[in-house]
Amino acid sequence: MLFESAPAKINLGLHIIRRRADGYHDLSTVFHPIGWADRITVSPAGNISMTCTDATLSCGKDNLVIRAARLLQKVAGIDQGALFHLEKKIPRGAGLGGGSSDAAAALRMLSNHWKSDDATIALKSLALKIGSDVPFFLHGQTAYAEGRGERLTPMADYAFPFSLAVVVPPVHISTAWAFQQVIVSGMNPPNLIEVVRSNDLDRWRCELVNDFEKPVFSQWPIIQEVKSSLLRSGAGFASLTGSGAGVYGIFESKEDAVVAAEEAAAKGYATWHQAAIDT
Ligand code: C5P
């Protein structure tokens, strides 16, 4: 039996650059993995199937784990199956990339288990067939992303010195809907790698923008209120992640991050907090 952790991500800045002929959008963002994670196990089986701790999640062919496994099985010409068990911790429809991360974990585990070299080489293109941010999760290290999100510049040596609180109010946002709402400004985005690397929260507040905030906040003021309350609790920077509904706050004080997460949890929101890693 193989075991993997499938971490969530947050977006540090997110600009929609242009609408493409294929219906997708080119974007510019920094993906940053966080400790909130699903757990996946896989064991040998005749067919591809899965079970999940979340009874509301489909375990059928529309689940990204099943789609990823079937795609790899087909491309690599494998006649074995796999039985997955998914312990779901990351909220869905939150902009945290949980489903994409699960799919990437499935690809990693099966390519290892099935020891298919050809398939390993093609893993990134298979990942992109499953979803735009699945290629990022194959490696899961902080990265600057362009294109649909698959053109990755790793920021492997980037150290994130802050504590974090993530709050997900009970709103489900369709990513496709959110992309349709954004009015593409046509302006050049800032150099996100440079802004993020500065770790200067005053700069982040001025220069790190998520283009989804405007339409999402105007449709669901409750999400804007989550951001405001993280800032009131002492966050030096707060932002929607992806197309939401998750919002994160970045704190210089780990105590403030805990209090902010606890306040949101008391309102019944899903929350996560992590203390800065001491370096
Ligand atoms: O790639 P993924 O399946 O995660 O995307 C979901 C939807 O979000 C797409 O069908 C598309 O409408 C939109 N999208 C986009 N541009 C991207 C990524 C996603 O327009 N770069």
mmCIF file with all atom_site columns, all heavy atoms in Angstrom, residues 19-20 23-27 67 100 128-134 147-149 174-177 179-180, ligand 1:
data_model
loop_
_atom_site.group_PDB
_atom_site.id
_atom_site.type_symbol
_atom_site.label_atom_id
_atom_site.label_alt_id
_atom_site.label_comp_id
_atom_site.label_asym_id
_atom_site.label_entity_id
_atom_site.label_seq_id
_atom_site.pdbx_PDB_ins_code
_atom_site.Cartn_x
_atom_site.Cartn_y
_atom_site.Cartn_z
_atom_site.occupancy
_atom_site.B_iso_or_equiv
_atom_site.pdbx_formal_charge
_atom_site.auth_seq_id
_atom_site.auth_comp_id
_atom_site.auth_asym_id
_atom_site.auth_atom_id
_atom_site.pdbx_PDB_model_num
ATOM   1   N N   . ARG A 1 19  ? -7.956  36.427 -22.595 1.00 0.00 ? 19  ARG A N   1
ATOM   2   C CA  . ARG A 1 19  ? -8.783  35.280 -22.943 1.00 0.00 ? 19  ARG A CA  1
ATOM   3   C C   . ARG A 1 19  ? -8.192  34.660 -24.204 1.00 0.00 ? 19  ARG A C   1
ATOM   4   O O   . ARG A 1 19  ? -7.823  35.363 -25.133 1.00 0.00 ? 19  ARG A O   1
ATOM   5   C CB  . ARG A 1 19  ? -10.213 35.733 -23.203 1.00 0.00 ? 19  ARG A CB  1
ATOM   6   C CG  . ARG A 1 19  ? -11.180 34.593 -23.336 1.00 0.00 ? 19  ARG A CG  1
ATOM   7   C CD  . ARG A 1 19  ? -12.596 35.128 -23.559 1.00 0.00 ? 19  ARG A CD  1
ATOM   8   N NE  . ARG A 1 19  ? -13.366 34.172 -24.327 1.00 0.00 ? 19  ARG A NE  1
ATOM   9   C CZ  . ARG A 1 19  ? -13.940 33.090 -23.832 1.00 0.00 ? 19  ARG A CZ  1
ATOM   10  N NH1 . ARG A 1 19  ? -13.852 32.842 -22.544 1.00 0.00 ? 19  ARG A NH1 1
ATOM   11  N NH2 . ARG A 1 19  ? -14.594 32.259 -24.592 1.00 0.00 ? 19  ARG A NH2 1
ATOM   12  N N   . ARG A 1 20  ? -8.082  33.331 -24.232 1.00 0.00 ? 20  ARG A N   1
ATOM   13  C CA  . ARG A 1 20  ? -7.448  32.649 -25.369 1.00 0.00 ? 20  ARG A CA  1
ATOM   14  C C   . ARG A 1 20  ? -8.499  32.092 -26.315 1.00 0.00 ? 20  ARG A C   1
ATOM   15  O O   . ARG A 1 20  ? -9.662  31.947 -25.951 1.00 0.00 ? 20  ARG A O   1
ATOM   16  C CB  . ARG A 1 20  ? -6.593  31.479 -24.856 1.00 0.00 ? 20  ARG A CB  1
ATOM   17  C CG  . ARG A 1 20  ? -5.611  31.924 -23.826 1.00 0.00 ? 20  ARG A CG  1
ATOM   18  C CD  . ARG A 1 20  ? -4.896  30.878 -23.034 1.00 0.00 ? 20  ARG A CD  1
ATOM   19  N NE  . ARG A 1 20  ? -4.935  29.493 -23.460 1.00 0.00 ? 20  ARG A NE  1
ATOM   20  C CZ  . ARG A 1 20  ? -4.008  28.612 -23.130 1.00 0.00 ? 20  ARG A CZ  1
ATOM   21  N NH1 . ARG A 1 20  ? -2.963  28.979 -22.405 1.00 0.00 ? 20  ARG A NH1 1
ATOM   22  N NH2 . ARG A 1 20  ? -4.114  27.354 -23.486 1.00 0.00 ? 20  ARG A NH2 1
ATOM   23  N N   . GLY A 1 23  ? -10.663 29.217 -25.183 1.00 0.00 ? 23  GLY A N   1
ATOM   24  C CA  . GLY A 1 23  ? -11.645 29.432 -24.103 1.00 0.00 ? 23  GLY A CA  1
ATOM   25  C C   . GLY A 1 23  ? -11.007 29.577 -22.738 1.00 0.00 ? 23  GLY A C   1
ATOM   26  O O   . GLY A 1 23  ? -11.632 30.082 -21.807 1.00 0.00 ? 23  GLY A O   1
ATOM   27  N N   . TYR A 1 24  ? -9.753  29.120 -22.602 1.00 0.00 ? 24  TYR A N   1
ATOM   28  C CA  . TYR A 1 24  ? -9.046  29.310 -21.322 1.00 0.00 ? 24  TYR A CA  1
ATOM   29  C C   . TYR A 1 24  ? -8.496  30.734 -21.253 1.00 0.00 ? 24  TYR A C   1
ATOM   30  O O   . TYR A 1 24  ? -8.580  31.494 -22.214 1.00 0.00 ? 24  TYR A O   1
ATOM   31  C CB  . TYR A 1 24  ? -7.894  28.304 -21.201 1.00 0.00 ? 24  TYR A CB  1
ATOM   32  C CG  . TYR A 1 24  ? -8.361  26.900 -20.883 1.00 0.00 ? 24  TYR A CG  1
ATOM   33  C CD1 . TYR A 1 24  ? -8.609  25.982 -21.903 1.00 0.00 ? 24  TYR A CD1 1
ATOM   34  C CD2 . TYR A 1 24  ? -8.559  26.492 -19.574 1.00 0.00 ? 24  TYR A CD2 1
ATOM   35  C CE1 . TYR A 1 24  ? -9.041  24.700 -21.614 1.00 0.00 ? 24  TYR A CE1 1
ATOM   36  C CE2 . TYR A 1 24  ? -8.986  25.208 -19.280 1.00 0.00 ? 24  TYR A CE2 1
ATOM   37  C CZ  . TYR A 1 24  ? -9.227  24.309 -20.301 1.00 0.00 ? 24  TYR A CZ  1
ATOM   38  O OH  . TYR A 1 24  ? -9.656  23.058 -20.008 1.00 0.00 ? 24  TYR A OH  1
ATOM   39  N N   . HIS A 1 25  ? -7.903  31.059 -20.126 1.00 0.00 ? 25  HIS A N   1
ATOM   40  C CA  . HIS A 1 25  ? -7.275  32.373 -19.946 1.00 0.00 ? 25  HIS A CA  1
ATOM   41  C C   . HIS A 1 25  ? -5.804  32.191 -19.597 1.00 0.00 ? 25  HIS A C   1
ATOM   42  O O   . HIS A 1 25  ? -5.460  31.269 -18.847 1.00 0.00 ? 25  HIS A O   1
ATOM   43  C CB  . HIS A 1 25  ? -7.965  33.147 -18.814 1.00 0.00 ? 25  HIS A CB  1
ATOM   44  C CG  . HIS A 1 25  ? -9.374  33.529 -19.127 1.00 0.00 ? 25  HIS A CG  1
ATOM   45  N ND1 . HIS A 1 25  ? -10.413 32.631 -19.080 1.00 0.00 ? 25  HIS A ND1 1
ATOM   46  C CD2 . HIS A 1 25  ? -9.915  34.711 -19.521 1.00 0.00 ? 25  HIS A CD2 1
ATOM   47  C CE1 . HIS A 1 25  ? -11.538 33.246 -19.414 1.00 0.00 ? 25  HIS A CE1 1
ATOM   48  N NE2 . HIS A 1 25  ? -11.261 34.503 -19.698 1.00 0.00 ? 25  HIS A NE2 1
ATOM   49  N N   . ASP A 1 26  ? -4.966  33.085 -20.125 1.00 0.00 ? 26  ASP A N   1
ATOM   50  C CA  . ASP A 1 26  ? -3.573  33.130 -19.672 1.00 0.00 ? 26  ASP A CA  1
ATOM   51  C C   . ASP A 1 26  ? -3.542  33.901 -18.369 1.00 0.00 ? 26  ASP A C   1
ATOM   52  O O   . ASP A 1 26  ? -4.203  34.942 -18.241 1.00 0.00 ? 26  ASP A O   1
ATOM   53  C CB  . ASP A 1 26  ? -2.692  33.836 -20.711 1.00 0.00 ? 26  ASP A CB  1
ATOM   54  C CG  . ASP A 1 26  ? -2.361  32.923 -21.886 1.00 0.00 ? 26  ASP A CG  1
ATOM   55  O OD1 . ASP A 1 26  ? -2.299  31.698 -21.690 1.00 0.00 ? 26  ASP A OD1 1
ATOM   56  O OD2 . ASP A 1 26  ? -2.176  33.446 -23.000 1.00 0.00 ? 26  ASP A OD2 1
ATOM   57  N N   . LEU A 1 27  ? -2.790  33.398 -17.430 1.00 0.00 ? 27  LEU A N   1
ATOM   58  C CA  . LEU A 1 27  ? -2.729  34.076 -16.135 1.00 0.00 ? 27  LEU A CA  1
ATOM   59  C C   . LEU A 1 27  ? -1.291  34.222 -15.666 1.00 0.00 ? 27  LEU A C   1
ATOM   60  O O   . LEU A 1 27  ? -0.354  33.692 -16.272 1.00 0.00 ? 27  LEU A O   1
ATOM   61  C CB  . LEU A 1 27  ? -3.597  33.350 -15.108 1.00 0.00 ? 27  LEU A CB  1
ATOM   62  C CG  . LEU A 1 27  ? -3.476  31.831 -14.982 1.00 0.00 ? 27  LEU A CG  1
ATOM   63  C CD1 . LEU A 1 27  ? -2.255  31.472 -14.162 1.00 0.00 ? 27  LEU A CD1 1
ATOM   64  C CD2 . LEU A 1 27  ? -4.717  31.267 -14.311 1.00 0.00 ? 27  LEU A CD2 1
ATOM   65  N N   . ARG A 1 67  ? -10.129 9.969  -12.928 1.00 0.00 ? 67  ARG A N   1
ATOM   66  C CA  . ARG A 1 67  ? -9.773  10.433 -14.287 1.00 0.00 ? 67  ARG A CA  1
ATOM   67  C C   . ARG A 1 67  ? -8.274  10.345 -14.510 1.00 0.00 ? 67  ARG A C   1
ATOM   68  O O   . ARG A 1 67  ? -7.809  9.895  -15.561 1.00 0.00 ? 67  ARG A O   1
ATOM   69  C CB  . ARG A 1 67  ? -10.250 11.874 -14.508 1.00 0.00 ? 67  ARG A CB  1
ATOM   70  C CG  . ARG A 1 67  ? -11.734 11.920 -14.855 1.00 0.00 ? 67  ARG A CG  1
ATOM   71  C CD  . ARG A 1 67  ? -12.209 13.329 -15.115 1.00 0.00 ? 67  ARG A CD  1
ATOM   72  N NE  . ARG A 1 67  ? -11.376 14.041 -16.064 1.00 0.00 ? 67  ARG A NE  1
ATOM   73  C CZ  . ARG A 1 67  ? -11.334 15.370 -16.194 1.00 0.00 ? 67  ARG A CZ  1
ATOM   74  N NH1 . ARG A 1 67  ? -12.083 16.125 -15.411 1.00 0.00 ? 67  ARG A NH1 1
ATOM   75  N NH2 . ARG A 1 67  ? -10.569 15.942 -17.071 1.00 0.00 ? 67  ARG A NH2 1
ATOM   76  N N   . SER A 1 100 ? -7.314  19.027 -7.594  1.00 0.00 ? 100 SER A N   1
ATOM   77  C CA  . SER A 1 100 ? -6.149  18.974 -8.485  1.00 0.00 ? 100 SER A CA  1
ATOM   78  C C   . SER A 1 100 ? -4.970  18.307 -7.787  1.00 0.00 ? 100 SER A C   1
ATOM   79  O O   . SER A 1 100 ? -4.222  17.536 -8.392  1.00 0.00 ? 100 SER A O   1
ATOM   80  C CB  . SER A 1 100 ? -5.733  20.389 -8.894  1.00 0.00 ? 100 SER A CB  1
ATOM   81  O OG  . SER A 1 100 ? -6.780  21.028 -9.574  1.00 0.00 ? 100 SER A OG  1
ATOM   82  N N   . LEU A 1 128 ? -1.992  18.231 -17.187 1.00 0.00 ? 128 LEU A N   1
ATOM   83  C CA  . LEU A 1 128 ? -2.696  19.393 -17.743 1.00 0.00 ? 128 LEU A CA  1
ATOM   84  C C   . LEU A 1 128 ? -4.040  18.984 -18.343 1.00 0.00 ? 128 LEU A C   1
ATOM   85  O O   . LEU A 1 128 ? -4.983  19.776 -18.352 1.00 0.00 ? 128 LEU A O   1
ATOM   86  C CB  . LEU A 1 128 ? -1.815  20.090 -18.785 1.00 0.00 ? 128 LEU A CB  1
ATOM   87  C CG  . LEU A 1 128 ? -2.368  21.396 -19.361 1.00 0.00 ? 128 LEU A CG  1
ATOM   88  C CD1 . LEU A 1 128 ? -2.614  22.433 -18.255 1.00 0.00 ? 128 LEU A CD1 1
ATOM   89  C CD2 . LEU A 1 128 ? -1.426  21.971 -20.414 1.00 0.00 ? 128 LEU A CD2 1
ATOM   90  N N   . LYS A 1 129 ? -4.117  17.729 -18.818 1.00 0.00 ? 129 LYS A N   1
ATOM   91  C CA  . LYS A 1 129 ? -5.415  17.256 -19.348 1.00 0.00 ? 129 LYS A CA  1
ATOM   92  C C   . LYS A 1 129 ? -6.452  17.149 -18.224 1.00 0.00 ? 129 LYS A C   1
ATOM   93  O O   . LYS A 1 129 ? -7.654  17.237 -18.458 1.00 0.00 ? 129 LYS A O   1
ATOM   94  C CB  . LYS A 1 129 ? -5.257  15.887 -20.008 1.00 0.00 ? 129 LYS A CB  1
ATOM   95  C CG  . LYS A 1 129 ? -4.495  15.918 -21.319 1.00 0.00 ? 129 LYS A CG  1
ATOM   96  C CD  . LYS A 1 129 ? -4.815  14.669 -22.145 1.00 0.00 ? 129 LYS A CD  1
ATOM   97  C CE  . LYS A 1 129 ? -4.322  14.800 -23.561 1.00 0.00 ? 129 LYS A CE  1
ATOM   98  N NZ  . LYS A 1 129 ? -2.982  14.270 -23.767 1.00 0.00 ? 129 LYS A NZ  1
ATOM   99  N N   . ILE A 1 130 ? -5.997  16.945 -17.006 1.00 0.00 ? 130 ILE A N   1
ATOM   100 C CA  . ILE A 1 130 ? -6.926  16.801 -15.869 1.00 0.00 ? 130 ILE A CA  1
ATOM   101 C C   . ILE A 1 130 ? -7.375  18.174 -15.361 1.00 0.00 ? 130 ILE A C   1
ATOM   102 O O   . ILE A 1 130 ? -8.514  18.365 -14.973 1.00 0.00 ? 130 ILE A O   1
ATOM   103 C CB  . ILE A 1 130 ? -6.253  16.014 -14.709 1.00 0.00 ? 130 ILE A CB  1
ATOM   104 C CG1 . ILE A 1 130 ? -5.694  14.676 -15.204 1.00 0.00 ? 130 ILE A CG1 1
ATOM   105 C CG2 . ILE A 1 130 ? -7.213  15.795 -13.545 1.00 0.00 ? 130 ILE A CG2 1
ATOM   106 C CD1 . ILE A 1 130 ? -6.710  13.697 -15.695 1.00 0.00 ? 130 ILE A CD1 1
ATOM   107 N N   . GLY A 1 131 ? -6.464  19.145 -15.350 1.00 0.00 ? 131 GLY A N   1
ATOM   108 C CA  . GLY A 1 131 ? -6.830  20.484 -14.872 1.00 0.00 ? 131 GLY A CA  1
ATOM   109 C C   . GLY A 1 131 ? -5.643  21.416 -14.939 1.00 0.00 ? 131 GLY A C   1
ATOM   110 O O   . GLY A 1 131 ? -4.492  20.972 -14.898 1.00 0.00 ? 131 GLY A O   1
ATOM   111 N N   . SER A 1 132 ? -5.927  22.726 -15.000 1.00 0.00 ? 132 SER A N   1
ATOM   112 C CA  . SER A 1 132 ? -4.866  23.712 -15.254 1.00 0.00 ? 132 SER A CA  1
ATOM   113 C C   . SER A 1 132 ? -3.826  23.781 -14.140 1.00 0.00 ? 132 SER A C   1
ATOM   114 O O   . SER A 1 132 ? -2.682  24.139 -14.399 1.00 0.00 ? 132 SER A O   1
ATOM   115 C CB  . SER A 1 132 ? -5.487  25.100 -15.437 1.00 0.00 ? 132 SER A CB  1
ATOM   116 O OG  . SER A 1 132 ? -6.404  25.078 -16.497 1.00 0.00 ? 132 SER A OG  1
ATOM   117 N N   . ASP A 1 133 ? -4.210  23.502 -12.888 1.00 0.00 ? 133 ASP A N   1
ATOM   118 C CA  . ASP A 1 133 ? -3.194  23.608 -11.830 1.00 0.00 ? 133 ASP A CA  1
ATOM   119 C C   . ASP A 1 133 ? -2.674  22.247 -11.365 1.00 0.00 ? 133 ASP A C   1
ATOM   120 O O   . ASP A 1 133 ? -1.885  22.181 -10.423 1.00 0.00 ? 133 ASP A O   1
ATOM   121 C CB  . ASP A 1 133 ? -3.656  24.500 -10.661 1.00 0.00 ? 133 ASP A CB  1
ATOM   122 C CG  . ASP A 1 133 ? -5.016  24.116 -10.122 1.00 0.00 ? 133 ASP A CG  1
ATOM   123 O OD1 . ASP A 1 133 ? -5.541  23.085 -10.555 1.00 0.00 ? 133 ASP A OD1 1
ATOM   124 O OD2 . ASP A 1 133 ? -5.535  24.859 -9.257  1.00 0.00 ? 133 ASP A OD2 1
ATOM   125 N N   . VAL A 1 134 ? -3.040  21.166 -12.073 1.00 0.00 ? 134 VAL A N   1
ATOM   126 C CA  . VAL A 1 134 ? -2.506  19.843 -11.700 1.00 0.00 ? 134 VAL A CA  1
ATOM   127 C C   . VAL A 1 134 ? -0.988  19.759 -11.942 1.00 0.00 ? 134 VAL A C   1
ATOM   128 O O   . VAL A 1 134 ? -0.264  19.204 -11.105 1.00 0.00 ? 134 VAL A O   1
ATOM   129 C CB  . VAL A 1 134 ? -3.271  18.698 -12.417 1.00 0.00 ? 134 VAL A CB  1
ATOM   130 C CG1 . VAL A 1 134 ? -2.730  17.338 -11.996 1.00 0.00 ? 134 VAL A CG1 1
ATOM   131 C CG2 . VAL A 1 134 ? -4.769  18.781 -12.101 1.00 0.00 ? 134 VAL A CG2 1
ATOM   132 N N   . GLY A 1 147 ? 0.697   31.040 -18.569 1.00 0.00 ? 147 GLY A N   1
ATOM   133 C CA  . GLY A 1 147 ? -0.133  30.213 -19.443 1.00 0.00 ? 147 GLY A CA  1
ATOM   134 C C   . GLY A 1 147 ? -1.426  29.883 -18.721 1.00 0.00 ? 147 GLY A C   1
ATOM   135 O O   . GLY A 1 147 ? -1.967  30.724 -17.985 1.00 0.00 ? 147 GLY A O   1
ATOM   136 N N   . ARG A 1 148 ? -1.923  28.674 -18.888 1.00 0.00 ? 148 ARG A N   1
ATOM   137 C CA  . ARG A 1 148 ? -3.115  28.263 -18.140 1.00 0.00 ? 148 ARG A CA  1
ATOM   138 C C   . ARG A 1 148 ? -2.798  28.050 -16.663 1.00 0.00 ? 148 ARG A C   1
ATOM   139 O O   . ARG A 1 148 ? -3.694  27.875 -15.843 1.00 0.00 ? 148 ARG A O   1
ATOM   140 C CB  . ARG A 1 148 ? -3.648  26.940 -18.714 1.00 0.00 ? 148 ARG A CB  1
ATOM   141 C CG  . ARG A 1 148 ? -4.583  27.093 -19.885 1.00 0.00 ? 148 ARG A CG  1
ATOM   142 C CD  . ARG A 1 148 ? -4.931  25.725 -20.474 1.00 0.00 ? 148 ARG A CD  1
ATOM   143 N NE  . ARG A 1 148 ? -5.558  24.859 -19.495 1.00 0.00 ? 148 ARG A NE  1
ATOM   144 C CZ  . ARG A 1 148 ? -5.752  23.543 -19.675 1.00 0.00 ? 148 ARG A CZ  1
ATOM   145 N NH1 . ARG A 1 148 ? -5.371  22.966 -20.796 1.00 0.00 ? 148 ARG A NH1 1
ATOM   146 N NH2 . ARG A 1 148 ? -6.345  22.822 -18.744 1.00 0.00 ? 148 ARG A NH2 1
ATOM   147 N N   . GLY A 1 149 ? -1.514  28.029 -16.354 1.00 0.00 ? 149 GLY A N   1
ATOM   148 C CA  . GLY A 1 149 ? -1.063  27.738 -14.993 1.00 0.00 ? 149 GLY A CA  1
ATOM   149 C C   . GLY A 1 149 ? -0.020  26.633 -15.018 1.00 0.00 ? 149 GLY A C   1
ATOM   150 O O   . GLY A 1 149 ? 0.495   26.228 -13.979 1.00 0.00 ? 149 GLY A O   1
ATOM   151 N N   . SER A 1 174 ? -18.016 28.506 -8.830  1.00 0.00 ? 174 SER A N   1
ATOM   152 C CA  . SER A 1 174 ? -17.572 27.791 -10.027 1.00 0.00 ? 174 SER A CA  1
ATOM   153 C C   . SER A 1 174 ? -16.411 28.566 -10.649 1.00 0.00 ? 174 SER A C   1
ATOM   154 O O   . SER A 1 174 ? -16.524 29.765 -10.922 1.00 0.00 ? 174 SER A O   1
ATOM   155 C CB  . SER A 1 174 ? -18.742 27.685 -11.017 1.00 0.00 ? 174 SER A CB  1
ATOM   156 O OG  . SER A 1 174 ? -18.263 27.729 -12.345 1.00 0.00 ? 174 SER A OG  1
ATOM   157 N N   . THR A 1 175 ? -15.302 27.863 -10.870 1.00 0.00 ? 175 THR A N   1
ATOM   158 C CA  . THR A 1 175 ? -14.119 28.506 -11.456 1.00 0.00 ? 175 THR A CA  1
ATOM   159 C C   . THR A 1 175 ? -14.448 29.074 -12.830 1.00 0.00 ? 175 THR A C   1
ATOM   160 O O   . THR A 1 175 ? -14.049 30.192 -13.169 1.00 0.00 ? 175 THR A O   1
ATOM   161 C CB  . THR A 1 175 ? -12.965 27.484 -11.577 1.00 0.00 ? 175 THR A CB  1
ATOM   162 O OG1 . THR A 1 175 ? -12.771 26.885 -10.305 1.00 0.00 ? 175 THR A OG1 1
ATOM   163 C CG2 . THR A 1 175 ? -11.674 28.128 -12.023 1.00 0.00 ? 175 THR A CG2 1
ATOM   164 N N   . ALA A 1 176 ? -15.197 28.312 -13.627 1.00 0.00 ? 176 ALA A N   1
ATOM   165 C CA  . ALA A 1 176 ? -15.542 28.777 -14.982 1.00 0.00 ? 176 ALA A CA  1
ATOM   166 C C   . ALA A 1 176 ? -16.351 30.076 -14.892 1.00 0.00 ? 176 ALA A C   1
ATOM   167 O O   . ALA A 1 176 ? -16.101 31.032 -15.626 1.00 0.00 ? 176 ALA A O   1
ATOM   168 C CB  . ALA A 1 176 ? -16.324 27.696 -15.714 1.00 0.00 ? 176 ALA A CB  1
ATOM   169 N N   . TRP A 1 177 ? -17.312 30.135 -13.946 1.00 0.00 ? 177 TRP A N   1
ATOM   170 C CA  . TRP A 1 177 ? -18.113 31.361 -13.752 1.00 0.00 ? 177 TRP A CA  1
ATOM   171 C C   . TRP A 1 177 ? -17.192 32.530 -13.417 1.00 0.00 ? 177 TRP A C   1
ATOM   172 O O   . TRP A 1 177 ? -17.304 33.613 -13.983 1.00 0.00 ? 177 TRP A O   1
ATOM   173 C CB  . TRP A 1 177 ? -19.130 31.146 -12.628 1.00 0.00 ? 177 TRP A CB  1
ATOM   174 C CG  . TRP A 1 177 ? -19.872 32.414 -12.277 1.00 0.00 ? 177 TRP A CG  1
ATOM   175 C CD1 . TRP A 1 177 ? -21.007 32.885 -12.852 1.00 0.00 ? 177 TRP A CD1 1
ATOM   176 C CD2 . TRP A 1 177 ? -19.486 33.396 -11.286 1.00 0.00 ? 177 TRP A CD2 1
ATOM   177 N NE1 . TRP A 1 177 ? -21.365 34.096 -12.283 1.00 0.00 ? 177 TRP A NE1 1
ATOM   178 C CE2 . TRP A 1 177 ? -20.451 34.429 -11.332 1.00 0.00 ? 177 TRP A CE2 1
ATOM   179 C CE3 . TRP A 1 177 ? -18.430 33.496 -10.373 1.00 0.00 ? 177 TRP A CE3 1
ATOM   180 C CZ2 . TRP A 1 177 ? -20.394 35.545 -10.485 1.00 0.00 ? 177 TRP A CZ2 1
ATOM   181 C CZ3 . TRP A 1 177 ? -18.366 34.620 -9.542  1.00 0.00 ? 177 TRP A CZ3 1
ATOM   182 C CH2 . TRP A 1 177 ? -19.339 35.626 -9.608  1.00 0.00 ? 177 TRP A CH2 1
ATOM   183 N N   . PHE A 1 179 ? -14.001 33.022 -14.009 1.00 0.00 ? 179 PHE A N   1
ATOM   184 C CA  . PHE A 1 179 ? -13.200 33.485 -15.150 1.00 0.00 ? 179 PHE A CA  1
ATOM   185 C C   . PHE A 1 179 ? -14.046 34.347 -16.086 1.00 0.00 ? 179 PHE A C   1
ATOM   186 O O   . PHE A 1 179 ? -13.562 35.330 -16.642 1.00 0.00 ? 179 PHE A O   1
ATOM   187 C CB  . PHE A 1 179 ? -12.595 32.306 -15.917 1.00 0.00 ? 179 PHE A CB  1
ATOM   188 C CG  . PHE A 1 179 ? -11.234 31.884 -15.403 1.00 0.00 ? 179 PHE A CG  1
ATOM   189 C CD1 . PHE A 1 179 ? -11.098 30.780 -14.572 1.00 0.00 ? 179 PHE A CD1 1
ATOM   190 C CD2 . PHE A 1 179 ? -10.090 32.591 -15.749 1.00 0.00 ? 179 PHE A CD2 1
ATOM   191 C CE1 . PHE A 1 179 ? -9.848  30.387 -14.100 1.00 0.00 ? 179 PHE A CE1 1
ATOM   192 C CE2 . PHE A 1 179 ? -8.834  32.213 -15.281 1.00 0.00 ? 179 PHE A CE2 1
ATOM   193 C CZ  . PHE A 1 179 ? -8.713  31.107 -14.453 1.00 0.00 ? 179 PHE A CZ  1
ATOM   194 N N   . GLN A 1 180 ? -15.319 33.980 -16.250 1.00 0.00 ? 180 GLN A N   1
ATOM   195 C CA  . GLN A 1 180 ? -16.187 34.760 -17.157 1.00 0.00 ? 180 GLN A CA  1
ATOM   196 C C   . GLN A 1 180 ? -16.446 36.176 -16.643 1.00 0.00 ? 180 GLN A C   1
ATOM   197 O O   . GLN A 1 180 ? -16.715 37.083 -17.417 1.00 0.00 ? 180 GLN A O   1
ATOM   198 C CB  . GLN A 1 180 ? -17.529 34.051 -17.339 1.00 0.00 ? 180 GLN A CB  1
ATOM   199 C CG  . GLN A 1 180 ? -17.474 32.909 -18.342 1.00 0.00 ? 180 GLN A CG  1
ATOM   200 C CD  . GLN A 1 180 ? -18.629 31.929 -18.143 1.00 0.00 ? 180 GLN A CD  1
ATOM   201 O OE1 . GLN A 1 180 ? -19.645 32.273 -17.528 1.00 0.00 ? 180 GLN A OE1 1
ATOM   202 N NE2 . GLN A 1 180 ? -18.465 30.722 -18.634 1.00 0.00 ? 180 GLN A NE2 1
HETATM 203 O O1  . C5P B 2 .   ? -8.485  23.643 -15.931 1.00 0.00 ? 1   C5P B O1  1
HETATM 204 P P1  . C5P B 2 .   ? -9.654  23.560 -15.018 1.00 0.00 ? 1   C5P B P1  1
HETATM 205 O O2  . C5P B 2 .   ? -10.541 22.366 -15.325 1.00 0.00 ? 1   C5P B O2  1
HETATM 206 O O3  . C5P B 2 .   ? -9.291  23.622 -13.583 1.00 0.00 ? 1   C5P B O3  1
HETATM 207 O O4  . C5P B 2 .   ? -10.516 24.856 -15.303 1.00 0.00 ? 1   C5P B O4  1
HETATM 208 C C1  . C5P B 2 .   ? -11.875 24.986 -14.962 1.00 0.00 ? 1   C5P B C1  1
HETATM 209 C C2  . C5P B 2 .   ? -12.464 26.091 -15.811 1.00 0.00 ? 1   C5P B C2  1
HETATM 210 O O5  . C5P B 2 .   ? -11.880 27.347 -15.467 1.00 0.00 ? 1   C5P B O5  1
HETATM 211 C C3  . C5P B 2 .   ? -12.178 25.934 -17.295 1.00 0.00 ? 1   C5P B C3  1
HETATM 212 O O6  . C5P B 2 .   ? -13.162 25.169 -17.922 1.00 0.00 ? 1   C5P B O6  1
HETATM 213 C C4  . C5P B 2 .   ? -12.184 27.370 -17.794 1.00 0.00 ? 1   C5P B C4  1
HETATM 214 O O7  . C5P B 2 .   ? -13.510 27.805 -17.977 1.00 0.00 ? 1   C5P B O7  1
HETATM 215 C C5  . C5P B 2 .   ? -11.639 28.137 -16.629 1.00 0.00 ? 1   C5P B C5  1
HETATM 216 N N1  . C5P B 2 .   ? -10.176 28.388 -16.744 1.00 0.00 ? 1   C5P B N1  1
HETATM 217 C C6  . C5P B 2 .   ? -9.737  29.396 -17.602 1.00 0.00 ? 1   C5P B C6  1
HETATM 218 N N2  . C5P B 2 .   ? -8.404  29.656 -17.706 1.00 0.00 ? 1   C5P B N2  1
HETATM 219 C C7  . C5P B 2 .   ? -7.511  28.982 -16.953 1.00 0.00 ? 1   C5P B C7  1
HETATM 220 C C8  . C5P B 2 .   ? -7.930  27.968 -16.066 1.00 0.00 ? 1   C5P B C8  1
HETATM 221 C C9  . C5P B 2 .   ? -9.277  27.706 -15.985 1.00 0.00 ? 1   C5P B C9  1
HETATM 222 O O8  . C5P B 2 .   ? -10.568 30.051 -18.277 1.00 0.00 ? 1   C5P B O8  1
HETATM 223 N N3  . C5P B 2 .   ? -6.198  29.294 -17.050 1.00 0.00 ? 1   C5P B N3  1
#
